[in-house]
Amino acid sequence: MSEPEDRTVVVTGGAGYIGSHTCVVLLEAGWRVVVIDNLDNSSEVAIDRVRELTGADADRCAFVEGDIREPADLDRAFAVGDAAAVVHFAGRKAVGESVDHPLWYYDHNVGGTVCLLEAMQRHGVRDLVFSSSCTVYGEPEGVPITEGMRVGAQSPYGRTKLIIEEMLADVAASEPGWRVALLRYFNPVGAHPSGRIGEDPVGIPNNLMPYIMQVAVGRRDHLTVNGDDYPTPDGTCIRDYLHVVDLAEGHLAALDHIDRLDGAIAVNLGTGVGSSVLDVVHAARAATGQPIPYEVGPRRAGDVVAAWADPTAAAELLGWRATRTLDEMCADHWRWQATNPAGYAS
Ligand code: NAD
Ligand code: WQD
């Protein structure tokens, strides 16, 4: 087998939040990276920063501005090098937006993945790491969540992830040679410890950590806690927050262990530890030194009460385990937010 130094990976959506962190980890491990991204929800500055952090030039970290729904754009990305694998992040990810504009989601996420798979077939690439989500479990059967539990998405966004998982299983079953990791992420937060790359949401953040950090930096007055009357110890919902660099390392582990996958296999990527909304507020206050005022508002429609991963399969199959704590997630997210208060536009 060739050394990572000789191997090229196509990264769809590599300018985005998780993609940019994964590119850093892959480049540091010796992979050559070709990013294809339409910059729909990201900035090319992220690619410049990935190159700056890793010392990679535009050859080792190539960028193709293009859309995965366009076969010609994909062909340009595959033409850059002899790709051994694809890591597929590109897609839209906001639950509320998916309710209002379901066709965007089916088009970018499902349609985009069909085009990508056709391009992989044209270029003879059969190894794929896909960004799935814990959202596929809907209201989970129990916690911690294992991969064998019932799936049932509750939004058009979640359904696109389930449809893609099933489509990938069908494709992998239809011809030999496919090795597909369906990585079900829990709640990625934090940033690269340099503070040079991080999450840069457009408009009002939907998710807890970016909202808290915008309060800490003074862009927003206060946090609204979406309900404190849930059946949990402090009444707020519980999630499995996961450092984005741990998550990025999960993709490297999936590529390193892809020969253990026969067909399409779902694997949870989480810490196995649940934290409440108020746990995150307290950790963020300690990390930022800011008061982070909050008010309690009504419950958010469709919120799952408690969800955290059983990460055993990831350890056994991929040799991967998250190591970074909630305090590190907050400290690193804050470094990014404080030094880039307006994100990449700062
Ligand atoms: P992100 O929006 O920062 O990154 C997605 C990238 O894909 C963006 O750079 C965007 O410009 C690009 N993109 C979108 N549609 C495209 C298209 N048609 N062609 C080319 N590029 C396109 O999101 P992220 O948080 O980095 O998420 C990456 C993936 O992980 C997504 O598939 C998302 O659904 C999944 N995921 C994210 C989370 C999370 O909480 N962030 C959790 C679970 C799963
Ligand atoms: C966490 C908790 C909120 C904001 C998202 C995606 C889901 C999947 C995982 C992609 C909840 C509460 C939030 C605020 C709050 N991602 N909250 N005030 O709910 O797990 O879902 O991440 O696949 O699809 O939707 O994460 O960060 O939105 O919320 O009280 O201003 O924080 O109600 O209890 P969630 P989140």
Side-chain angles (χ1 to χ4, degrees), residues 25-100:
V25 167
L26 294 175
L27 286 160
E28 285 173 342
W31 282 85
R32 180 188 185 207
V33 163
V34 180
V35 170
I36 173 168
D37 198 304
N38 65 0
L39 304 177
D40 223 28
N41 194 38
S42 53
S43 160
E44 197 173 343
V45 177
I47 301 292
D48 297 336
R49 303 257 178 109
V50 167
R51 290 177 182 147
E52 167 200 307
L53 287 171
T54 57
D57 59 15
D59 178 54
R60 283 213 75 76
C61 176
F63 176 58
V64 172
E65 184 171 345
D67 196 302
I68 59 163
R69 297 166 300 170
E70 292 294 338
D73 291 354
L74 286 163
D75 286 342
R76 279 195 294 135
F78 282 95
V80 172
D82 189 15
V86 172
V87 181
H88 177 31
F89 295 103
R92 303 193 67 90
K93 62 164 182 179
V95 171
E97 184 186 64
S98 79
V99 174
D100 294 337

Side-chain angles (χ1 to χ4, degrees), residues 198-223:
E199 187 170 13
D200 187 13
V202 176
I204 301 172
N206 296 308
N207 301 114
L208 180 64
M209 185 68 89
Y211 202 105
I212 286 179
M213 290 297 162
Q214 291 196 4
V215 173
V217 85
R219 271 175 77 178
R220 312 209 175 265
D221 289 352
H222 69 278
L223 171 74

Side-chain angles (χ1 to χ4, degrees), residues 236-254:
T236 65
C237 293
I238 296 177
R239 297 288 184 275
D240 187 339
Y241 298 95
L242 164 73
H243 197 297
V244 66
V245 177
D246 276 325
L247 180 58
E249 290 170 357
H251 295 74
L252 176 63

Side-chain angles (χ1 to χ4, degrees), residues 12-20 36-43 66-69 88-93 108-109 112 130-134 157 161 183-188 199 207:
T12 75
Y17 172 45
I18 305 168
S20 56
I36 173 168
D37 198 304
N38 65 0
L39 304 177
D40 223 28
N41 194 38
S42 53
S43 160
D67 196 302
I68 59 163
R69 297 166 300 170
H88 177 31
F89 295 103
R92 303 193 67 90
K93 62 164 182 179
H108 280 263
N109 295 9
F130 170 62
S131 301
S132 191
S133 168
C134 64
Y157 166 68
K161 292 294 180 190
L183 301 183
R184 294 177 175 167
Y185 315 156
F186 280 65
N187 292 67
E199 187 170 13
N207 301 114

Side-chain angles (χ1 to χ4, degrees), residues 29 34 53 72 75 77 84 91 125 133 136 181 192 207 209 238 275 290 296 299 323:
V34 180
L53 287 171
D75 286 342
V125 183
S133 168
V136 300
H192 190 272
N207 301 114
M209 185 68 89
I238 296 177
S275 304
Q290 301 299 315
V296 176
R299 291 181 174 196
T323 60

